[in-house]
mmCIF file of all heavy atoms in Angstrom:
data_model
loop_
_atom_site.group_PDB
_atom_site.id
_atom_site.type_symbol
_atom_site.label_atom_id
_atom_site.label_comp_id
_atom_site.label_asym_id
_atom_site.label_seq_id
_atom_site.Cartn_x
_atom_site.Cartn_y
_atom_site.Cartn_z
ATOM 1 N N GLY A 106 -48.300 24.904 -72.186
ATOM 2 C CA GLY A 106 -48.410 24.416 -70.819
ATOM 3 C C GLY A 106 -47.161 23.899 -70.151
ATOM 4 O O GLY A 106 -47.240 23.360 -69.050
ATOM 5 N N LEU A 107 -46.010 24.049 -70.782
ATOM 6 C CA LEU A 107 -44.791 23.590 -70.138
ATOM 7 C C LEU A 107 -44.220 24.690 -69.246
ATOM 8 O O LEU A 107 -44.236 25.865 -69.602
ATOM 9 C CB LEU A 107 -43.729 23.192 -71.164
ATOM 10 C CG LEU A 107 -44.038 22.017 -72.079
ATOM 11 C CD1 LEU A 107 -42.798 21.648 -72.896
ATOM 12 C CD2 LEU A 107 -44.545 20.816 -71.319
ATOM 13 N N THR A 108 -43.706 24.273 -68.083
ATOM 14 C CA THR A 108 -43.042 25.209 -67.191
ATOM 15 C C THR A 108 -41.643 25.503 -67.725
ATOM 16 O O THR A 108 -41.183 24.863 -68.680
ATOM 17 C CB THR A 108 -42.916 24.616 -65.775
ATOM 18 O OG1 THR A 108 -42.013 23.498 -65.831
ATOM 19 C CG2 THR A 108 -44.262 24.188 -65.213
ATOM 20 N N GLU A 109 -40.954 26.426 -67.096
ATOM 21 C CA GLU A 109 -39.586 26.748 -67.499
ATOM 22 C C GLU A 109 -38.684 25.520 -67.414
ATOM 23 O O GLU A 109 -37.940 25.216 -68.343
ATOM 24 C CB GLU A 109 -39.022 27.869 -66.631
ATOM 25 C CG GLU A 109 -37.577 28.245 -66.961
ATOM 26 C CD GLU A 109 -37.383 28.845 -68.345
ATOM 27 O OE1 GLU A 109 -38.326 29.455 -68.881
ATOM 28 O OE2 GLU A 109 -36.279 28.689 -68.898
ATOM 29 N N TYR A 110 -38.731 24.797 -66.305
ATOM 30 C CA TYR A 110 -37.898 23.606 -66.150
ATOM 31 C C TYR A 110 -38.300 22.512 -67.136
ATOM 32 O O TYR A 110 -37.441 21.823 -67.684
ATOM 33 C CB TYR A 110 -37.962 23.060 -64.730
ATOM 34 C CG TYR A 110 -37.251 23.906 -63.695
ATOM 35 C CD1 TYR A 110 -37.628 23.856 -62.362
ATOM 36 C CD2 TYR A 110 -36.190 24.743 -64.033
ATOM 37 C CE1 TYR A 110 -36.983 24.618 -61.397
ATOM 38 C CE2 TYR A 110 -35.546 25.515 -63.090
ATOM 39 C CZ TYR A 110 -35.941 25.445 -61.773
ATOM 40 O OH TYR A 110 -35.295 26.197 -60.824
ATOM 41 N N GLU A 111 -39.589 22.342 -67.376
ATOM 42 C CA GLU A 111 -40.047 21.344 -68.349
ATOM 43 C C GLU A 111 -39.535 21.696 -69.743
ATOM 44 O O GLU A 111 -39.100 20.820 -70.487
ATOM 45 C CB GLU A 111 -41.572 21.243 -68.346
ATOM 46 C CG GLU A 111 -42.130 20.592 -67.118
ATOM 47 C CD GLU A 111 -43.631 20.705 -67.017
ATOM 48 O OE1 GLU A 111 -44.247 21.571 -67.684
ATOM 49 O OE2 GLU A 111 -44.221 19.926 -66.249
ATOM 50 N N THR A 112 -39.585 22.972 -70.082
ATOM 51 C CA THR A 112 -39.089 23.423 -71.380
ATOM 52 C C THR A 112 -37.603 23.131 -71.515
ATOM 53 O O THR A 112 -37.149 22.597 -72.528
ATOM 54 C CB THR A 112 -39.361 24.926 -71.576
ATOM 55 O OG1 THR A 112 -40.772 25.149 -71.550
ATOM 56 C CG2 THR A 112 -38.787 25.444 -72.880
ATOM 57 N N ARG A 113 -36.844 23.458 -70.477
ATOM 58 C CA ARG A 113 -35.400 23.190 -70.513
ATOM 59 C C ARG A 113 -35.127 21.697 -70.676
ATOM 60 O O ARG A 113 -34.280 21.296 -71.477
ATOM 61 C CB ARG A 113 -34.743 23.671 -69.230
ATOM 62 C CG ARG A 113 -34.671 25.161 -69.092
ATOM 63 C CD ARG A 113 -33.960 25.505 -67.815
ATOM 64 N NE ARG A 113 -34.049 26.920 -67.498
ATOM 65 C CZ ARG A 113 -33.402 27.473 -66.497
ATOM 66 N NH1 ARG A 113 -32.640 26.742 -65.702
ATOM 67 N NH2 ARG A 113 -33.537 28.760 -66.271
ATOM 68 N N ALA A 114 -35.814 20.885 -69.888
ATOM 69 C CA ALA A 114 -35.593 19.432 -69.951
ATOM 70 C C ALA A 114 -35.963 18.891 -71.327
ATOM 71 O O ALA A 114 -35.215 18.101 -71.916
ATOM 72 C CB ALA A 114 -36.407 18.730 -68.862
ATOM 73 N N TYR A 115 -37.106 19.297 -71.848
ATOM 74 C CA TYR A 115 -37.567 18.818 -73.143
ATOM 75 C C TYR A 115 -36.569 19.182 -74.242
ATOM 76 O O TYR A 115 -36.199 18.351 -75.070
ATOM 77 C CB TYR A 115 -38.952 19.384 -73.443
ATOM 78 C CG TYR A 115 -39.525 18.885 -74.733
ATOM 79 C CD1 TYR A 115 -39.912 17.562 -74.878
ATOM 80 C CD2 TYR A 115 -39.678 19.736 -75.823
ATOM 81 C CE1 TYR A 115 -40.434 17.091 -76.082
ATOM 82 C CE2 TYR A 115 -40.200 19.273 -77.019
ATOM 83 C CZ TYR A 115 -40.574 17.954 -77.138
ATOM 84 O OH TYR A 115 -41.085 17.502 -78.326
ATOM 85 N N LEU A 116 -36.124 20.418 -74.248
ATOM 86 C CA LEU A 116 -35.206 20.866 -75.293
ATOM 87 C C LEU A 116 -33.854 20.174 -75.201
ATOM 88 O O LEU A 116 -33.272 19.805 -76.231
ATOM 89 C CB LEU A 116 -35.044 22.388 -75.240
ATOM 90 C CG LEU A 116 -36.285 23.181 -75.627
ATOM 91 C CD1 LEU A 116 -36.052 24.670 -75.413
ATOM 92 C CD2 LEU A 116 -36.700 22.899 -77.064
ATOM 93 N N ILE A 117 -33.347 19.961 -73.989
ATOM 94 C CA ILE A 117 -32.055 19.285 -73.870
ATOM 95 C C ILE A 117 -32.174 17.832 -74.298
ATOM 96 O O ILE A 117 -31.264 17.275 -74.901
ATOM 97 C CB ILE A 117 -31.443 19.448 -72.453
ATOM 98 C CG1 ILE A 117 -29.938 19.202 -72.487
ATOM 99 C CG2 ILE A 117 -32.082 18.539 -71.431
ATOM 100 C CD1 ILE A 117 -29.149 20.214 -73.223
ATOM 101 N N LEU A 118 -33.318 17.206 -74.020
ATOM 102 C CA LEU A 118 -33.518 15.824 -74.466
ATOM 103 C C LEU A 118 -33.648 15.755 -75.986
ATOM 104 O O LEU A 118 -33.151 14.813 -76.612
ATOM 105 C CB LEU A 118 -34.746 15.222 -73.787
ATOM 106 C CG LEU A 118 -34.543 14.876 -72.307
ATOM 107 C CD1 LEU A 118 -35.882 14.625 -71.629
ATOM 108 C CD2 LEU A 118 -33.628 13.677 -72.169
ATOM 109 N N LEU A 119 -34.294 16.731 -76.592
ATOM 110 C CA LEU A 119 -34.382 16.770 -78.053
ATOM 111 C C LEU A 119 -32.989 16.903 -78.664
ATOM 112 O O LEU A 119 -32.675 16.264 -79.663
ATOM 113 C CB LEU A 119 -35.247 17.942 -78.520
ATOM 114 C CG LEU A 119 -36.747 17.795 -78.445
ATOM 115 C CD1 LEU A 119 -37.418 19.076 -78.929
ATOM 116 C CD2 LEU A 119 -37.233 16.616 -79.270
ATOM 117 N N GLU A 120 -32.187 17.739 -78.058
ATOM 118 C CA GLU A 120 -30.858 18.003 -78.593
ATOM 119 C C GLU A 120 -29.898 16.838 -78.353
ATOM 120 O O GLU A 120 -29.156 16.442 -79.255
ATOM 121 C CB GLU A 120 -30.281 19.262 -77.944
ATOM 122 C CG GLU A 120 -28.893 19.607 -78.448
ATOM 123 C CD GLU A 120 -28.325 20.807 -77.734
ATOM 124 O OE1 GLU A 120 -28.849 21.909 -77.918
ATOM 125 O OE2 GLU A 120 -27.353 20.620 -76.981
ATOM 126 N N GLN A 121 -29.917 16.280 -77.154
ATOM 127 C CA GLN A 121 -28.910 15.296 -76.760
ATOM 128 C C GLN A 121 -29.371 13.840 -76.876
ATOM 129 O O GLN A 121 -28.544 12.945 -76.880
ATOM 130 C CB GLN A 121 -28.485 15.551 -75.305
ATOM 131 C CG GLN A 121 -27.969 16.943 -75.041
ATOM 132 C CD GLN A 121 -26.519 17.123 -75.420
ATOM 133 O OE1 GLN A 121 -25.751 16.167 -75.385
ATOM 134 N NE2 GLN A 121 -26.141 18.323 -75.787
ATOM 135 N N GLY A 122 -30.675 13.610 -76.883
ATOM 136 C CA GLY A 122 -31.170 12.239 -76.923
ATOM 137 C C GLY A 122 -31.325 11.666 -75.526
ATOM 138 O O GLY A 122 -31.475 12.397 -74.553
ATOM 139 N N VAL A 123 -31.250 10.365 -75.416
ATOM 140 C CA VAL A 123 -31.462 9.671 -74.150
ATOM 141 C C VAL A 123 -30.424 10.127 -73.120
ATOM 142 O O VAL A 123 -29.232 10.183 -73.416
ATOM 143 C CB VAL A 123 -31.368 8.141 -74.354
ATOM 144 C CG1 VAL A 123 -31.471 7.412 -73.021
ATOM 145 C CG2 VAL A 123 -32.441 7.671 -75.314
ATOM 146 N N MET A 124 -30.915 10.464 -71.929
ATOM 147 C CA MET A 124 -30.046 10.933 -70.848
ATOM 148 C C MET A 124 -30.591 10.443 -69.518
ATOM 149 O O MET A 124 -31.781 10.162 -69.397
ATOM 150 C CB MET A 124 -30.011 12.466 -70.809
ATOM 151 C CG MET A 124 -29.570 13.144 -72.063
ATOM 152 S SD MET A 124 -29.719 14.937 -71.956
ATOM 153 C CE MET A 124 -28.174 15.322 -71.181
ATOM 154 N N THR A 125 -29.712 10.385 -68.531
ATOM 155 C CA THR A 125 -30.159 10.112 -67.170
ATOM 156 C C THR A 125 -30.721 11.405 -66.579
ATOM 157 O O THR A 125 -30.474 12.505 -67.103
ATOM 158 C CB THR A 125 -28.993 9.634 -66.285
ATOM 159 O OG1 THR A 125 -28.042 10.705 -66.162
ATOM 160 C CG2 THR A 125 -28.329 8.390 -66.851
ATOM 161 N N ALA A 126 -31.444 11.273 -65.478
ATOM 162 C CA ALA A 126 -31.986 12.453 -64.807
ATOM 163 C C ALA A 126 -30.855 13.385 -64.377
ATOM 164 O O ALA A 126 -30.968 14.611 -64.497
ATOM 165 C CB ALA A 126 -32.827 12.039 -63.605
ATOM 166 N N SER A 127 -29.779 12.812 -63.912
ATOM 167 C CA SER A 127 -28.634 13.612 -63.496
ATOM 168 C C SER A 127 -28.059 14.421 -64.660
ATOM 169 O O SER A 127 -27.718 15.588 -64.510
ATOM 170 C CB SER A 127 -27.557 12.691 -62.910
ATOM 171 O OG SER A 127 -26.434 13.428 -62.508
ATOM 172 N N GLU A 128 -27.978 13.793 -65.823
ATOM 173 C CA GLU A 128 -27.476 14.493 -67.016
ATOM 174 C C GLU A 128 -28.434 15.588 -67.450
ATOM 175 O O GLU A 128 -27.997 16.667 -67.869
ATOM 176 C CB GLU A 128 -27.255 13.495 -68.148
ATOM 177 C CG GLU A 128 -26.108 12.535 -67.902
ATOM 178 C CD GLU A 128 -26.052 11.399 -68.893
ATOM 179 O OE1 GLU A 128 -27.112 10.984 -69.426
ATOM 180 O OE2 GLU A 128 -24.932 10.897 -69.125
ATOM 181 N N VAL A 129 -29.729 15.326 -67.361
ATOM 182 C CA VAL A 129 -30.719 16.361 -67.706
ATOM 183 C C VAL A 129 -30.548 17.543 -66.767
ATOM 184 O O VAL A 129 -30.562 18.704 -67.197
ATOM 185 C CB VAL A 129 -32.164 15.811 -67.639
ATOM 186 C CG1 VAL A 129 -33.184 16.930 -67.788
ATOM 187 C CG2 VAL A 129 -32.379 14.750 -68.709
ATOM 188 N N SER A 130 -30.374 17.266 -65.493
ATOM 189 C CA SER A 130 -30.178 18.320 -64.507
ATOM 190 C C SER A 130 -28.952 19.159 -64.835
ATOM 191 O O SER A 130 -29.024 20.391 -64.896
ATOM 192 C CB SER A 130 -30.036 17.700 -63.113
ATOM 193 O OG SER A 130 -29.681 18.673 -62.163
ATOM 194 N N GLU A 131 -27.853 18.479 -65.071
ATOM 195 C CA GLU A 131 -26.584 19.161 -65.333
ATOM 196 C C GLU A 131 -26.601 19.941 -66.643
ATOM 197 O O GLU A 131 -26.233 21.108 -66.696
ATOM 198 C CB GLU A 131 -25.457 18.136 -65.364
ATOM 199 C CG GLU A 131 -24.079 18.740 -65.494
ATOM 200 C CD GLU A 131 -22.997 17.681 -65.434
ATOM 201 O OE1 GLU A 131 -23.086 16.778 -64.578
ATOM 202 O OE2 GLU A 131 -22.069 17.756 -66.259
ATOM 203 N N ASN A 132 -27.043 19.301 -67.713
ATOM 204 C CA ASN A 132 -27.009 19.923 -69.041
ATOM 205 C C ASN A 132 -28.150 20.910 -69.274
ATOM 206 O O ASN A 132 -28.039 21.786 -70.123
ATOM 207 C CB ASN A 132 -27.024 18.849 -70.124
ATOM 208 C CG ASN A 132 -25.764 18.015 -70.124
ATOM 209 O OD1 ASN A 132 -24.672 18.540 -70.164
ATOM 210 N ND2 ASN A 132 -25.915 16.705 -70.035
ATOM 211 N N GLY A 133 -29.253 20.743 -68.546
ATOM 212 C CA GLY A 133 -30.396 21.617 -68.736
ATOM 213 C C GLY A 133 -30.491 22.754 -67.743
ATOM 214 O O GLY A 133 -31.410 23.574 -67.814
ATOM 215 N N GLY A 134 -29.558 22.796 -66.801
ATOM 216 C CA GLY A 134 -29.589 23.868 -65.812
ATOM 217 C C GLY A 134 -30.779 23.763 -64.876
ATOM 218 O O GLY A 134 -31.326 24.771 -64.444
ATOM 219 N N ILE A 135 -31.181 22.536 -64.570
ATOM 220 C CA ILE A 135 -32.319 22.286 -63.683
ATOM 221 C C ILE A 135 -31.766 21.799 -62.356
ATOM 222 O O ILE A 135 -30.964 20.854 -62.332
ATOM 223 C CB ILE A 135 -33.255 21.226 -64.294
ATOM 224 C CG1 ILE A 135 -33.769 21.699 -65.650
ATOM 225 C CG2 ILE A 135 -34.417 20.910 -63.353
ATOM 226 C CD1 ILE A 135 -34.393 20.606 -66.488
ATOM 227 N N PRO A 136 -32.172 22.404 -61.241
ATOM 228 C CA PRO A 136 -31.670 21.925 -59.947
ATOM 229 C C PRO A 136 -31.971 20.441 -59.780
ATOM 230 O O PRO A 136 -33.059 19.974 -60.129
ATOM 231 C CB PRO A 136 -32.448 22.758 -58.924
ATOM 232 C CG PRO A 136 -32.917 23.950 -59.675
ATOM 233 C CD PRO A 136 -33.112 23.504 -61.100
ATOM 234 N N TYR A 137 -31.001 19.692 -59.250
ATOM 235 C CA TYR A 137 -31.177 18.254 -59.083
ATOM 236 C C TYR A 137 -32.399 17.946 -58.235
ATOM 237 O O TYR A 137 -33.091 16.963 -58.464
ATOM 238 C CB TYR A 137 -29.921 17.623 -58.480
ATOM 239 C CG TYR A 137 -29.960 16.117 -58.502
ATOM 240 C CD1 TYR A 137 -29.756 15.431 -59.696
ATOM 241 C CD2 TYR A 137 -30.229 15.390 -57.351
ATOM 242 C CE1 TYR A 137 -29.806 14.044 -59.738
ATOM 243 C CE2 TYR A 137 -30.276 14.007 -57.383
ATOM 244 C CZ TYR A 137 -30.068 13.340 -58.581
ATOM 245 O OH TYR A 137 -30.128 11.969 -58.625
ATOM 246 N N SER A 138 -32.690 18.823 -57.284
ATOM 247 C CA SER A 138 -33.848 18.619 -56.404
ATOM 248 C C SER A 138 -35.177 18.718 -57.157
ATOM 249 O O SER A 138 -36.209 18.300 -56.646
ATOM 250 C CB SER A 138 -33.829 19.618 -55.254
ATOM 251 O OG SER A 138 -33.932 20.948 -55.748
ATOM 252 N N LYS A 139 -35.148 19.255 -58.372
ATOM 253 C CA LYS A 139 -36.374 19.436 -59.165
ATOM 254 C C LYS A 139 -36.445 18.562 -60.409
ATOM 255 O O LYS A 139 -37.470 18.497 -61.073
ATOM 256 C CB LYS A 139 -36.504 20.902 -59.605
ATOM 257 C CG LYS A 139 -36.674 21.882 -58.480
ATOM 258 C CD LYS A 139 -38.045 21.739 -57.899
ATOM 259 C CE LYS A 139 -38.284 22.801 -56.846
ATOM 260 N NZ LYS A 139 -39.521 22.587 -56.123
ATOM 261 N N VAL A 140 -35.357 17.896 -60.760
ATOM 262 C CA VAL A 140 -35.306 17.213 -62.050
ATOM 263 C C VAL A 140 -36.275 16.031 -62.123
ATOM 264 O O VAL A 140 -36.930 15.826 -63.152
ATOM 265 C CB VAL A 140 -33.867 16.812 -62.435
ATOM 266 C CG1 VAL A 140 -33.372 15.626 -61.632
ATOM 267 C CG2 VAL A 140 -33.772 16.534 -63.925
ATOM 268 N N TYR A 141 -36.407 15.236 -61.062
ATOM 269 C CA TYR A 141 -37.320 14.097 -61.111
ATOM 270 C C TYR A 141 -38.769 14.557 -61.198
ATOM 271 O O TYR A 141 -39.564 13.997 -61.955
ATOM 272 C CB TYR A 141 -37.109 13.162 -59.914
ATOM 273 C CG TYR A 141 -35.872 12.324 -60.061
ATOM 274 C CD1 TYR A 141 -34.684 12.698 -59.439
ATOM 275 C CD2 TYR A 141 -35.865 11.186 -60.857
ATOM 276 C CE1 TYR A 141 -33.528 11.943 -59.591
ATOM 277 C CE2 TYR A 141 -34.719 10.423 -61.018
ATOM 278 C CZ TYR A 141 -33.553 10.806 -60.383
ATOM 279 O OH TYR A 141 -32.419 10.053 -60.546
ATOM 280 N N GLU A 142 -39.105 15.582 -60.450
ATOM 281 C CA GLU A 142 -40.454 16.162 -60.513
ATOM 282 C C GLU A 142 -40.742 16.669 -61.929
ATOM 283 O O GLU A 142 -41.821 16.451 -62.476
ATOM 284 C CB GLU A 142 -40.553 17.307 -59.503
ATOM 285 C CG GLU A 142 -41.857 18.052 -59.501
ATOM 286 C CD GLU A 142 -41.829 19.239 -58.541
ATOM 287 O OE1 GLU A 142 -41.112 19.190 -57.523
ATOM 288 O OE2 GLU A 142 -42.533 20.208 -58.831
ATOM 289 N N THR A 143 -39.767 17.328 -62.515
ATOM 290 C CA THR A 143 -39.903 17.878 -63.862
ATOM 291 C C THR A 143 -40.084 16.765 -64.895
ATOM 292 O O THR A 143 -40.987 16.823 -65.739
ATOM 293 C CB THR A 143 -38.664 18.729 -64.210
ATOM 294 O OG1 THR A 143 -38.554 19.803 -63.271
ATOM 295 C CG2 THR A 143 -38.754 19.286 -65.627
ATOM 296 N N LEU A 144 -39.240 15.740 -64.831
ATOM 297 C CA LEU A 144 -39.328 14.645 -65.791
ATOM 298 C C LEU A 144 -40.615 13.840 -65.616
ATOM 299 O O LEU A 144 -41.228 13.426 -66.603
ATOM 300 C CB LEU A 144 -38.101 13.743 -65.678
ATOM 301 C CG LEU A 144 -36.786 14.391 -66.106
ATOM 302 C CD1 LEU A 144 -35.612 13.495 -65.763
ATOM 303 C CD2 LEU A 144 -36.799 14.743 -67.584
ATOM 304 N N ASN A 145 -41.030 13.629 -64.382
ATOM 305 C CA ASN A 145 -42.304 12.937 -64.138
ATOM 306 C C ASN A 145 -43.470 13.718 -64.712
ATOM 307 O O ASN A 145 -44.391 13.142 -65.296
ATOM 308 C CB ASN A 145 -42.513 12.690 -62.639
ATOM 309 C CG ASN A 145 -41.641 11.577 -62.107
ATOM 310 O OD1 ASN A 145 -41.235 10.688 -62.837
ATOM 311 N ND2 ASN A 145 -41.356 11.634 -60.817
ATOM 312 N N SER A 146 -43.430 15.032 -64.561
ATOM 313 C CA SER A 146 -44.487 15.875 -65.105
ATOM 314 C C SER A 146 -44.519 15.798 -66.633
ATOM 315 O O SER A 146 -45.590 15.682 -67.240
ATOM 316 C CB SER A 146 -44.288 17.325 -64.652
ATOM 317 O OG SER A 146 -45.289 18.149 -65.170
#
């Protein structure tokens, strides 16, 4: 049930550990406009 962006965010957090939303966006290839929605989901 994870979307593409959710999958990217989850995997980058597993790999890198604690990150800010901005870092998740940058390192996970998730548009900044979508990162908060993705992390909230």
Side-chain angles (χ1 to χ4, degrees):
L107 296 188
T108 67
E109 178 65 27
Y110 289 155
E111 289 170 341
T112 298
R113 289 182 190 186
Y115 183 69
L116 292 175
I117 201 68
L118 286 166
L119 281 179
E120 180 183 293
Q121 304 278 331
V123 175
M124 303 174 85
T125 65
S127 179
E128 291 169 331
V129 171
S130 173
E131 186 176 317
N132 293 308
I135 301 165
Y137 190 75
S138 63
K139 296 288 185 188
V140 74
Y141 284 98
E142 177 184 330
T143 300
L144 293 171
N145 286 334
S146 180

